[in-house]
Amino acid sequence: MSVPAQRRSPREREELLSGAARAPDAARLFAFAAERMRRLVPYDAAVWRVTDPVNGMMTAPVHAEDIDGAECAAYWECELLAEKVNLFRDLARAPLPVAGLWESSEGRPTRSALYHDFMRPRGVHDELRAVLRVGDRTHGYISLFRERGRDPFTSADSRFVGTLVTPLARLLRSFNVPLGAPPGARGGQPGLLLFDTGGSLVSVNEAALGHLHELPDGPTTPTGLGYRIPVWIHSTAMKARALARDGERGDARVRLRTRAGQWLVCHASCLRSADGTLQSFAVVIEPAGLGEIIPLIAGAYEMSGRELEVTVHVARGMSTERIAQELYLSPHTVRDHIKAAFEKVGVTSRGELVGKLFIEHYAPLAEAEGGGREL
């Protein structure tokens, strides 16, 4: 049964958020928030996912409750290739980024491909999904499931979860701050995984196995080669498949951190034969370059786009007057942006600002890319 709205007190909401704020990483944030959420909005199974804020794609870590890796992969394949109701990408732009399937379909969930192909065969009756967002940036997705025989999620459930989406998204965003250069940040070869059109892994190189070994724990799927593959890798390959099928432009690309704190980028593309027939999907995992992670750093410190732009010019050693000329701003405005960046990052000088944002964590990568002299 659904918990009546009056029993979800402000104190319980604040306890959930304050406990989540003490979590040292996204995985433990999800674990704590899920335990509290299950009391306040009862459910039978759930998946909590971090998303890439640049494009909203699922990345690591993923926290699954009473649902295995193969089911997570099947869920996401349906979302990308068949679903038309309550799509996460549509919810991300909605005034309230939370929706229950039963309620939004007016009691006709069979209109949903996800219900027909994924939920009903597993005895699941309803899903409440939420997008964790700050502004127009998405930082996570939540899926809560109720089995057949339980009441559907209510509008009161949706409104309560809606009060949590921005605070939880801000916490997820905060985990993108630099941590200092982790061991092995200087090197690392690209890893390659090859999937057939059915989504089965057919080949993998040694570099990919090395990267997989460093990834956060989470739901995985078995393969015929004996390796278990994280569900977000499958989702990245399926995204490439969806883009190829629909002839759309898009980005099958996600950024994520290893357990040691190193940033990686995972991107997928379709491989075709000479006659254009789709043959397979290639997924590459490699150390992320500066251009991949600068937007994530800026978000973690709540820097505006202009503040980040000015900071990048500071990192290049430009004077205030030169930055003003480059960006068509007044020197006074440039100084204001630099001061705001100082306050948000918690530093008092240009050298500290550049060191905190770039040098401590990213200098090894910059040197590997030939960009160390500029920084």
Side-chain angles (χ1 to χ4, degrees):
M1 296 292 289
S2 183
V3 174
Q6 63 268 24
R7 291 181 55 190
R8 294 192 282 250
S9 68
R11 179 182 59 80
E12 290 173 309
R13 175 184 177 276
E14 292 308 313
E15 287 177 350
L16 187 157
L17 292 175
S18 62
R22 293 191 294 271
D25 53 46
R28 279 172 278 192
L29 181 154
F30 282 161
F32 177 86
E35 187 269 333
R36 291 303 178 96
M37 183 80 85
R38 201 160 193 163
R39 302 180 197 173
L40 301 172
V41 186
Y43 57 83
D44 299 298
V47 185
W48 300 63
R49 316 164 187 85
V50 170
T51 58
D52 188 310
V54 176
N55 55 26
M57 287 181 57
M58 177 173 62
T59 181
V62 176
H63 174 77
E65 302 175 278
D66 300 306
I67 183 169
D68 62 29
E71 290 176 315
C72 287
Y75 173 99
W76 204 250
E77 183 173 356
C78 187
E79 169 77 11
L80 291 173
L81 301 177
E83 185 57 273
K84 302 296 182 184
V85 179
N86 285 349
L87 287 169
F88 280 113
R89 68 187 185 197
D90 295 334
L91 275 181
R93 299 189 295 268
L96 177 66
V98 185
L101 176 58
W102 190 270
E103 183 180 32
S104 61
S105 67
E106 300 178 335
R108 292 178 289 175
T110 52
R111 296 161 54 186
S112 162
L114 184 71
Y115 180 84
H116 185 272
D117 297 337
F118 178 84
M119 294 169 59
R120 185 164 62 180
R122 292 167 173 80
V124 176
H125 176 64
D126 196 16
E127 177 196 23
L128 183 72
R129 54 172 56 184
V131 175
L132 306 181
R133 71 182 184 193
V134 180
D136 62 352
R137 290 296 179 98
T138 297
H139 295 272
Y141 295 147
I142 303 174
S143 297
L144 309 180
F145 301 102
R146 281 184 180 164
E147 295 176 351
R148 189 176 295 115
R150 304 195 71 172
D151 287 347
F153 293 101
T154 66
S155 57
D157 295 327
S158 296
R159 289 194 299 272
F160 174 73
V161 175
T163 68
L164 302 172
V165 294
T166 297
L168 290 177
R170 290 185 185 278
L171 292 173
L172 291 176
R173 184 178 66 177
S174 71
F175 295 130
N176 292 332
V177 296
L179 300 177
R186 181 180 298 272
Q189 297 299 313
L192 177 65
L193 302 97
L194 196 64
F195 295 86
D196 64 22
T197 54
S200 297
L201 182 69
V202 296
S203 183
V204 58
N205 68 4
E206 289 296 324
L209 295 177
H211 289 309
L212 292 176
H213 181 70
E214 299 300 323
L215 296 178
D217 294 334
T220 59
T221 58
T223 68
L225 301 182
Y227 309 116
R228 300 193 67 88
I229 304 300
V231 293
W232 56 264
I233 289 184
H234 276 289
S235 75
T236 306
M238 290 302 101
K239 178 65 173 181
R241 177 181 173 185
L243 292 172
R245 184 198 64 178
D246 299 334
E248 296 181 1
R249 292 185 177 183
D251 194 13
R253 190 181 198 90
V254 295
R255 285 142 282 258
L256 70 151
R257 260 180 166 161
T258 66
R259 291 192 301 273
Q262 181 182 359
W263 280 104
L264 300 177
V265 62
C266 172
H267 49 97
S269 58
C270 299
L271 304 179
R272 298 182 182 273
S273 62
D275 63 1
T277 303
L278 184 63
Q279 294 290 315
S280 56
F281 303 95
V283 177
V284 175
I285 308 176
E286 57 189 338
L290 285 170
E292 299 278 2
I293 50 187
I294 283 176
L296 307 184
I297 303 170
Y301 286 111
E302 301 188 10
M303 296 174 66
S304 69
R306 184 61 92 178
E307 289 162 1
L308 175 61
E309 192 174 16
V310 168
T311 299
V312 170
H313 283 71
V314 169
R316 292 171 177 162
M318 293 184 180
S319 66
T320 298
E321 290 71 22
R322 175 71 184 282
I323 295 172
Q325 292 173 358
E326 289 282 331
L327 301 180
Y328 300 99
L329 300 172
S330 71
H332 177 73
T333 300
V334 171
R335 282 191 286 270
D336 283 345
H337 286 313
I338 294 174
K339 180 181 177 181
F342 283 178
E343 292 175 350
K344 291 179 178 180
V345 179
V347 297
T348 58
S349 71
R350 292 187 177 209
E352 286 182 300
L353 178 66
V354 175
K356 189 75 172 287
L357 293 180
F358 304 114
I359 302 299
E360 290 181 7
H361 186 85
Y362 304 107
L365 295 178
E367 291 170 6
E369 296 172 356
R373 288 190 300 275
E374 182 175 282
L375 285 177

